[in-house]
Amino acid sequence: MTYTYFRRFRMEFDLKRQALEPQILPEGYRFERWHVDWIPAHAQAKYMSFREELDTNVFPCLGEETGCLRLMRDISNRDGFLPRATWLIRTQPNFGLDNNNSDAESNSIAESTPANSSLAMSMTLGGLPQPVGTIQGIQTDQELGAIQNIGIIPEHRGRGLGRRLILQSLWGFQQSGLDRVMLEVTAQNRGAYRLYEQIGFRYLRTVYKCQDIVF
């Protein structure tokens, strides 16, 4: 057995700086408030967002459908889980995709490319609402919250959904009475780091995540 260490940046957002407001999504999308029945939808969005990106090296469960479902259940059962800071983005029924959109956010959250799978097909079958984004929040102490995962599936990047999803979660943290929110980002994911900086997160320190590899 050998060990690999992944460098990650811890960042923090000061909720006392300004009063945040609920976000408005582009046409064709809607926010879903937390409900326990949405755990599978959150897990689908998480898997489709992270399955081929570098964070699966740090957290292997993100690259497995069952792993994402288990992770989502674990997060929702944690002490301090914050429903107000946990959001799902879905498409509106019969919303058609336009793959010509592109902006600086297109590679900022996850850097995988679309791939056909039975899961992806089942998410769009019959024009039903498709879960395309997920974020989860927990409260770690009286004043501090933490964002667990942020994911937008590849087909829906470049529309500003990731930025709005983060701001919606931060609004939820603020409504819960917290003063600060932290997150961690893998050092190689420079696009995500820049996005968090643009939103208002500031670097705190570098931490290392140990992943054991069995040969």
Side-chain angles (χ1 to χ4, degrees):
M1 180 180 295
T2 187
Y3 297 93
T4 299
Y5 292 87
F6 295 92
R7 189 161 60 107
R8 291 169 62 79
F9 298 138
R10 186 163 294 173
M11 307 182 75
E12 188 174 274
F13 187 93
D14 184 359
L15 292 169
K16 303 188 299 297
R17 293 187 313 166
Q18 58 181 316
L20 300 172
E21 297 181 352
Q23 294 295 294
I24 298 175
L25 290 172
E27 182 180 1
Y29 299 94
R30 70 170 188 259
F31 280 118
E32 293 276 10
R33 294 180 179 273
W34 166 254
H35 192 283
V36 67
D37 289 348
W38 302 156
I39 286 178
H42 277 277
Q44 284 184 350
K46 194 187 299 287
Y47 170 69
M48 298 295 287
S49 298
F50 288 100
R51 60 182 177 169
E52 293 180 8
E53 72 163 291
L54 57 89
D55 275 352
T56 59
N57 296 321
V58 188
F59 305 102
C61 63
L62 293 174
E64 304 170 353
E65 296 179 47
T66 55
C68 287
L69 184 59
R70 183 174 61 251
L71 176 61
M72 195 62 217
R73 287 172 175 160
D74 289 345
I75 291 172
S76 65
N77 287 324
R78 286 186 60 174
D79 291 338
F81 174 68
L82 278 182
R84 285 184 177 183
T86 300
W87 293 88
L88 183 71
I89 295 180
R90 292 187 193 266
T91 57
Q92 298 284 15
N94 301 313
F95 176 62
L97 284 176
D98 174 7
N99 290 320
N100 294 323
N101 290 310
S102 177
D103 64 17
E105 188 199 347
S106 60
N107 291 315
S108 63
I109 301 295
E111 299 174 347
S112 59
T113 56
N116 293 325
S117 70
S118 59
L119 176 60
M121 294 174 63
S122 68
M123 289 164 64
T124 58
L125 186 63
L128 295 175
Q130 178 185 12
V132 300
T134 178
I135 192 168
Q136 309 94 52
I138 61 171
Q139 182 173 352
T140 60
D141 63 32
Q142 188 173 357
E143 299 179 347
L144 180 65
I147 290 175
Q148 296 301 284
N149 301 117
I150 307 160
I152 300 293
I153 72 173
E155 298 91 333
H156 294 267
R157 294 177 195 152
R159 296 173 169 85
L161 300 181
R163 180 186 301 272
R164 290 177 173 89
L165 185 61
I166 296 167
L167 289 169
Q168 183 78 357
S169 181
L170 292 174
W171 172 75
F173 279 112
Q174 193 173 70
Q175 293 296 302
S176 300
L178 302 187
D179 293 337
R180 296 171 292 124
V181 176
M182 72 169 190
L183 57 74
E184 289 184 6
V185 56
T186 303
Q188 295 97 314
N189 197 345
R190 301 303 301 176
Y193 185 87
R194 288 193 297 269
L195 176 63
Y196 303 149
E197 274 195 322
Q198 291 168 9
I199 289 172
F201 282 88
R202 294 294 174 259
Y203 170 85
L204 280 181
R205 57 183 174 273
T206 299
V207 297
Y208 292 87
K209 168 70 176 177
C210 177
Q211 179 64 47
D212 55 288
I213 301 174
V214 179
F215 290 97

